[in-house]
Amino acid sequence: VQLQASGGGMVQAGGSLRLSCAVSGRVYAMGWFRQAPGKEREFVAAINWPGRTTSYADSVKGRFTISRDIAKNAVYLQMIGLKPEDTGVYYCAARKLTSISSSVSGYDFWGQGTLVTVSS
């Protein structure tokens, strides 16, 4: 299984970005995590298989939306109202179970990360 994240970039506060994660191989629930410089990797959002249930970190609720396209074997993270504290490397992750997990240890596969920088 391989995951390829893309879509990161530099935006001003209040801007929007859409991250994509292309998956090769069979996976089930998926999630997005982020890691700011000097901080631990933290949960952002997750979606179950086949995509009827989602979960979000409190810090992104109402601003970020996770979705998936089963046919394309991809997961997305639409981010609006970006804030400087959203800056970090964003990782997509996948697991062999259908249920959601908000824990880093709950995922079996990880992408390489894509950098999001939000300037004030």
Side-chain angles (χ1 to χ4, degrees):
V1 174
Q2 292 187 329
L3 287 72
Q4 181 72 41
S6 62
M10 182 179 293
V11 297
Q12 291 187 332
S16 301
L17 282 174
R18 185 178 188 240
L19 306 183
S20 299
C21 180
V23 183
S24 63
R26 185 62 180 267
V27 296
Y28 295 94
M30 296 194 67
W32 286 96
F33 290 74
R34 67 187 181 190
Q35 189 166 16
K39 295 188 177 181
E40 294 186 351
R41 194 169 299 188
E42 65 175 3
F43 171 72
V44 175
I47 188 166
N48 77 334
W49 173 272
R52 296 189 181 93
T53 303
T54 58
S55 178
Y56 297 91
D58 288 343
S59 59
V60 306
K61 281 181 181 177
R63 300 187 298 120
F64 291 10
T65 303
I66 188 171
S67 62
R68 69 189 304 165
D69 186 325
I70 300 297
K72 294 182 178 180
N73 209 13
V75 67
Y76 308 98
L77 186 68
Q78 179 67 52
M79 306 184 293
I80 65 172
L82 283 161
K83 305 175 181 180
E85 50 264 43
D86 293 319
T87 293
V89 177
Y90 282 68
Y91 298 90
C92 61
R95 65 196 230 124
K96 300 174 184 176
L97 300 177
T98 59
S99 58
I100 284 174
S101 174
S102 61
S103 172
V104 170
S105 62
Y107 289 82
D108 304 293
F109 309 102
W110 291 84
Q112 85 290 358
T114 184
L115 177 63
V116 172
T117 304
V118 184
S119 60
S120 57

